[in-house]
């Protein structure tokens, strides 16, 4: 990462070390049980490919998209993979923040100290998230010997200890739950491998968002500090601060960023809602207890956890992600009911056929724009 006098804004190695040290241990399983879980998740991930392709019809028959690896990881593996992704995506923003900090006397020392402080704080946040993610398609993955990625980037992560933890917590059939999770994550992999332009489009939007950031570096670092203090219990109970508990994303918005964020929100709602729609559509044929799993999992999503958990979800913008599942699934279902699966699949034609944020809320408007105009 670009640095001034060797000092980085975030000490990423320290972030990894902190997160892996602080992350909670996974559920108690024997070595044989762990091997069996890993083997089953790999089988389910492979089986999910055909289920998802058949249901979505996104990949033409006889066409084989670029392959991306499926990795079953523990919490530490998820942390290492995501630090690599964060570091790459945030590189332009942190370089810009570093320039604003300047290179005057004492800044190198302050930068080195600040980078370590921020590294610890980022590590604390990652340790919180690492015990909650069940699976993830890493769109902007950087390959390494330990964590390979596809030629054009991308890999599917399944976090075994978290899947086992949730299936036990919900008291559902573990084999059904593991396949159900794999169906959701495989849908994300299919979205990006079947739609070659989608990755570059998303990366372009994210980089445009970051390029518009004109926030003082200390403002962003202060938001990280607030989140870390909440995690450590160091923030007084009930204290919201002058920003009313806004998320990290909301804090750094300019007018141009709000426009970009609206488009990103619409795309993420589409991707998440489509994955939920697919796993529920495939589920009844291959997951016997899908109705029970869905009901219990929805209750878990809505219930959240402790007040601390809810505060962190708000600060990190995770509450918005929960809305994306709900709103996006409603959009996909409404469009499929109106124009069928192939009609819905026009959404993947180009960036111009992606739904807007307003159209996510009003699916009929997307149908009118993309279908009726094309037919007139």
């Amino acid at each position: 990462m670009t640095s001034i006098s060797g000092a980085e804004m975030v000490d990423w190695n320290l972030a990894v070390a902190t997160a892996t040290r602080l992350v909670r241990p996974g559920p108690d399983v024997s070595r044989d049980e762990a091997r069996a879980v890993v083997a089953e998740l790999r089988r389910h991930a492979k089986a999910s490919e055909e289920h998802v392709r058949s249901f979505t019809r996104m990949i033409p028959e006889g066409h084989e998209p670029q392959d991306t690896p499926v990795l079953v990881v523990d919490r530490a593996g998820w942390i290492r993979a995501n630090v690599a992704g964060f570091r790459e995506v945030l590189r332009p923003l942190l370089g810009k923040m570093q320039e604003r900090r300047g290179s005057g006397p004492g800044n190198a020392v302050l930068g080195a100290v600040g980078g370590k402080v921020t590294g610890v704080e980022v590590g604390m946040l990652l340790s919180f998230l690492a015990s909650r993610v069940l699976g993830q398609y890493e769109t902007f993955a950087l390959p390494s010997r330990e964590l390979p990625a596809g030629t054009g980037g991308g890999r599917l992560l399944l976090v075994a200890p978290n899947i086992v933890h949730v299936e036990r917590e919900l008291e559902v059939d573990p084999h059904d739950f593991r396949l159900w999770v794999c169906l959701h994550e495989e849908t994300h992999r299919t979205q990006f491998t079947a739609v070659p332009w989608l990755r570059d489009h998303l990366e372009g939007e994210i980089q445009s968002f970051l390029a518009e950031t004109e926030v003082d570096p200390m403002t962003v670092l202060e938001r990280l500090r607030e989140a870390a203090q909440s995690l450590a219990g160091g923030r007084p109970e009930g204290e919201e601060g002058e920003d009313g508990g806004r998320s990290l994303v909301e804090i750094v918005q300019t007018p141009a960023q709000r426009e970009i964020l609206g488009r990103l929100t619409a795309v993420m709602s589409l991707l998440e809602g489509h994955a939920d729609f697919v796993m529920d559509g495939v589920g009844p044929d291959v997951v016997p207890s899908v109705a029970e799993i869905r009901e219990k999992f929805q209750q878990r999503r809505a219930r959240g956890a402790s007040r601390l958990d809810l505060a962190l979800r708000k600060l990190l913008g995770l509450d918005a992600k929960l809305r994306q599942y709900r709103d996006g699934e409603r959009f996909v279902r409404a469009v499929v009911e109106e124009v069928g699966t192939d009609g819905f699949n026009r959404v993947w034609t180009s960036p111009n056929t992606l739904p807007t944020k307003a159209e996510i809320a009003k699916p009929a408007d997307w149908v009118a724009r993309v279908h009726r105009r094309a037919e007139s």
Side-chain angles (χ1 to χ4, degrees):
M1 179 175 299
T2 303
S3 63
I4 297 174
S5 300
E8 293 187 353
M9 293 291 291
V10 181
D11 186 330
W12 294 106
N13 291 332
L14 185 57
V16 171
T18 301
T20 52
R21 185 177 70 252
L22 295 180
V23 71
R24 293 183 297 178
D28 186 21
V29 295
S30 68
R31 182 169 297 181
D32 287 342
E33 286 175 315
R35 288 198 186 103
V37 170
V38 170
E40 184 172 25
L41 286 173
R42 287 178 175 151
R43 289 196 304 272
H44 284 332
K46 185 63 179 176
S48 294
E49 285 185 37
E50 183 55 38
H51 293 315
V52 170
R53 291 183 184 188
S54 176
F55 184 83
T56 63
R57 302 206 289 270
M58 291 178 66
I59 300 175
E61 192 172 344
H63 176 72
E64 197 63 31
Q66 184 184 58
D67 190 32
T68 53
V70 177
L71 307 178
V72 182
V73 298
D74 57 11
R75 291 170 177 175
W78 181 89
I79 289 167
R80 288 191 292 273
N82 276 267
V83 163
F86 290 160
R87 185 172 185 169
E88 183 64 20
V89 170
L90 294 176
R91 185 186 301 271
L93 174 62
L94 294 182
K96 187 175 183 179
M97 291 168 63
Q98 207 132 23
E99 289 175 5
R100 291 194 61 176
R101 186 177 64 192
S103 55
N107 277 337
V109 175
L110 290 174
V113 173
K116 291 189 178 302
V117 170
T118 309
V120 169
E121 291 164 348
V122 170
M124 292 174 71
L125 296 179
L126 285 170
S127 72
F128 168 80
L129 295 171
S131 61
R132 286 158 172 77
V133 176
L134 301 182
Q136 172 187 359
Y137 183 78
E138 268 205 297
T139 315
F140 309 111
L142 291 175
S144 66
R145 184 170 57 183
E146 182 184 23
L147 295 164
T151 304
R155 59 185 166 222
L156 182 61
L157 304 179
L158 297 169
V159 191
N162 296 350
I163 294 172
V164 172
H165 171 79
V166 174
E167 71 193 25
R168 290 179 179 179
E169 178 187 332
L170 298 182
E171 297 181 336
V172 294
D173 182 280
H175 309 293
D176 284 2
F177 184 74
R178 293 166 196 173
L179 177 55
W180 189 71
V181 170
C182 287
L183 289 170
H184 182 101
E185 303 307 334
E186 176 58 34
T187 302
H188 286 318
R189 186 164 74 137
T190 298
Q191 289 164 346
F192 283 94
T193 56
V195 186
W197 54 264
L198 185 57
R199 180 190 183 277
D200 289 342
H201 173 70
L202 265 182
E203 183 176 23
E205 292 282 51
I206 291 169
Q207 293 306 329
S208 294
F209 181 89
L210 296 178
E212 289 290 335
T213 300
E214 293 295 344
V215 68
D216 181 82
M218 291 311 298
T219 304
V220 174
L221 300 185
E222 182 59 29
R223 290 303 164 278
L224 289 172
R225 189 161 293 113
E226 287 178 8
Q229 287 173 350
S230 294
L231 189 59
R235 190 174 183 180
E237 186 174 349
E239 181 182 317
E240 291 288 342
E242 62 180 9
D243 294 306
R246 288 186 290 166
S247 72
L248 283 166
V249 170
E250 292 171 320
I251 285 295
V252 299
Q253 282 186 69
T254 65
Q257 283 178 310
R258 280 193 287 275
E259 185 177 337
I260 299 168
L261 187 62
R263 295 196 299 267
L264 280 170
T265 298
V267 175
M268 297 312 298
S269 295
L270 170 69
L271 299 180
E272 295 294 357
H274 184 233
D276 268 11
F277 176 79
V278 170
M279 71 179 181
D280 284 349
V282 174
D285 292 331
V286 299
V287 183
S289 60
V290 64
E292 177 193 2
I293 291 172
R294 183 57 149 159
E295 180 181 1
K296 289 184 175 181
F297 196 75
Q298 288 286 60
Q299 291 173 353
R300 183 180 185 271
R301 272 183 183 170
R303 184 174 62 248
S306 65
R307 181 175 179 180
L308 171 61
D309 193 27
L310 293 173
L312 276 166
R313 274 179 18 186
K314 171 63 180 175
L315 185 60
L316 297 173
L318 300 182
D319 54 339
K321 186 174 178 66
L322 298 180
R323 291 195 298 273
Q324 288 169 7
Y325 285 110
R326 182 185 65 243
D327 297 344
E329 195 273 341
R330 189 184 300 123
F331 169 84
V332 175
R333 187 172 301 280
V335 172
V336 171
E337 288 176 357
E338 179 72 18
V339 296
T341 297
D342 292 333
F344 165 78
N345 280 341
R346 287 196 190 180
V347 79
W348 311 116
T349 305
S350 76
N352 293 329
T353 56
L354 291 171
T356 64
K357 190 176 179 181
E359 288 170 341
I360 288 288
K362 294 183 177 180
D365 290 353
W366 180 86
V367 173
R369 177 172 68 86
V370 173
H371 282 267
R372 292 171 192 162
R373 288 182 186 176
E375 293 164 1
S376 60

